[in-house]
Amino acid sequence: MAVIDLKAETALDTTRDRYGRTVHASAAAAARAQRYQAAVEAYTTHLAPYADALLDAAHRALDELPPARHTTGWRTVLDGLAASTAEIRRALDRPAAPGSAAEHAQHTALWPHLTAWADHSAIAANLADQHQQPQTPLTGDDQQMWTERARVAQRRGELDLIESWFAADGQPITLAYLVEDDDSTVVALRGDPDAPGWQVIGHYAHEYEAGQALPAAVPPGVLRADVSRFNRPEPVPEVSLQELIRDVAEAQAAGDASNALLTATQHGYDAGPMVRLKELLETAGQFSSALETVQGRQIAARLAALGRQIDFLTTEVHEAAEDLGATVAVLPPHRVPVPRARPRPAVDTTPPAPPPRAAATVRHR
């Protein structure tokens, strides 16, 4: 589906102008129809024979997992995939005439169900594969000893984090290099490494051994539950910063330069780059906070502060743009442009004589 979607987006890009507005509607409709057709064929070939078995295996695995905050949501996802499977099967059992308007309408109606599988099938596949039996973690005195060694190394700045994931029980696991006397050991931590209470649950010779011994990773969550990479809204028309810079460089009147600045700071549907930058910081702050870690909350606070600064700066730029436009001024004429094309010499013009060669230096003994 990712390949199909990328091919379709490449085709759709050719139907838009430089601001992102669709200007070739018939070509855009044809690109979407081709995407729907390719998705139906891919589902029929690669997933339809196995969808029910995959969902059954995922449900059985989910029933055996310990209770956690995410299990109810996973069950809802599996139920949604089952409903999409039934809708797709119902349509495929009664296919419309190839190439007809009815087939196009049928494929359009199936697209949300096909993208549901593309967006969420990783959860079903991961659950069906949850059969790894992790080794018994460290306990008692061994765990206390390794945890203290890791805390000491962390205070020295020699606990280097490698990667993290969530286990099926909802607990975060982080791999790290514990460096001691120029020697390093791979250790696994349970809990937030930047919050009190984390513990070492195992030590290993290398990362591969750790991966074999520790609980398997489950699919990470999403920032917004209703977002789909395969159902993005039409891009909003926007003017790039590069184009605004070029507009100012080519301007001769203060009003033209003022308009470029006003475009960068305008709000609303076709918001300018400075407003979009604030939206980016806000979304990144929401993401950092959603990590539910100490570092994540600290970074979210930093991004919120930066967003307030961008907001203040946007207001200042907007006011400066209005003042610039109110000057009703033009550039003075002594700022003469330089011709880019130089005139050719006349045909009967004698070329200039080359400069005389410097006499060779005579060296005396």
Side-chain angles (χ1 to χ4, degrees), residues 238-259:
E238 61 182 6
V239 182
S240 71
L241 273 176
Q242 293 185 61
E243 187 159 352
L244 294 176
I245 294 170
R246 189 165 58 245
D247 287 346
V248 175
E250 296 171 354
Q252 294 179 307
D256 296 331
S258 171
N259 287 337

Side-chain angles (χ1 to χ4, degrees), residues 55-67 71 75 78 127:
L55 291 175
D56 289 342
H59 271 293
R60 288 194 300 270
L62 185 58
D63 292 339
E64 297 174 0
L65 291 181
T71 52
R75 200 173 299 278
L78 295 181
L127 281 169

Side-chain angles (χ1 to χ4, degrees), residues 96-156:
S100 65
E103 183 190 53
H104 175 66
Q106 188 179 67
H107 290 174
T108 303
L110 287 180
W111 178 250
H113 301 291
L114 296 168
T115 57
W117 270 99
D119 284 320
H120 310 310
S121 59
I123 293 177
N126 185 277
L127 281 169
D129 199 39
Q130 282 286 332
H131 50 69
Q132 178 182 359
Q133 295 297 325
Q135 296 179 4
T136 303
L138 293 174
T139 57
D141 293 340
D142 284 344
Q143 184 180 65
Q144 184 176 356
M145 187 249 317
W146 277 96
T147 300
E148 183 57 30
R149 288 172 62 179
R151 291 184 189 279
V152 171
Q154 185 183 48
R155 289 193 289 268
R156 294 196 311 265

